[in-house]
Amino acid sequence: QVQLVESGGGLVQPGGSLRLSCAASPIIFSRYTMGWYRQAPGKQRELVARITSGGNTHYAESVKGRFTISRDNAKNTVYLQMNNLKPDDTGVYYCNAAYAMTYWGQGTQVTVSS
């Protein structure tokens, strides 16, 4: 059974940083487009960033210049480095793996508050 396990969420003050990780198994990780989505209370889930198997990246306009997605195919892991966090970044962050099928992680809570 495919598992995506997120970690790295937490409570941070505005302007702070967090690094999310998502470990995937047992998939041929290098073939998958990996993405991070988030869902704020009362809102729909939205794409934050994604990275293709070839390393091409795409970001939501609201996080450009602040967030960086990367992947380590040797570790079957995708990362999301989040800098200069804002209260609007608060939500549950989900890891997504897409190739022939799509898989989701359980989510990790990120709260940006003073």
Side-chain angles (χ1 to χ4, degrees):
Q1 186 172 348
V2 175
Q3 283 192 316
L4 301 178
V5 180
E6 301 104 333
S7 61
L11 173 64
V12 64
Q13 292 186 341
S17 298
L18 284 175
R19 188 194 196 202
L20 305 183
S21 299
C22 171
S25 64
I27 60 174
I28 305 176
F29 182 81
S30 60
R31 294 183 180 178
Y32 281 72
T33 290
M34 301 299 298
W36 287 98
Y37 290 70
R38 69 185 178 194
Q39 188 165 18
K43 295 187 177 181
Q44 289 190 330
R45 192 174 297 188
E46 64 176 357
L47 174 68
V48 175
R50 64 170 176 254
I51 183 167
T52 68
S53 58
N56 294 316
T57 58
H58 171 81
Y59 296 93
E61 284 296 324
S62 60
V63 307
K64 279 184 179 178
R66 300 188 297 122
F67 291 11
T68 303
I69 189 170
S70 61
R71 64 191 297 160
D72 185 337
N73 289 342
K75 295 183 178 180
N76 281 15
T77 301
V78 63
Y79 305 97
L80 185 67
Q81 178 66 44
M82 305 186 292
N83 298 328
N84 190 21
L85 282 159
K86 304 176 180 180
D88 283 349
D89 295 318
T90 294
V92 179
Y93 283 69
Y94 296 91
C95 179
N96 172 276
Y99 180 53
M101 297 185 66
T102 298
Y103 302 100
W104 292 92
Q106 296 281 65
T108 185
Q109 177 70 44
V110 171
T111 302
V112 185
S113 175
S114 54

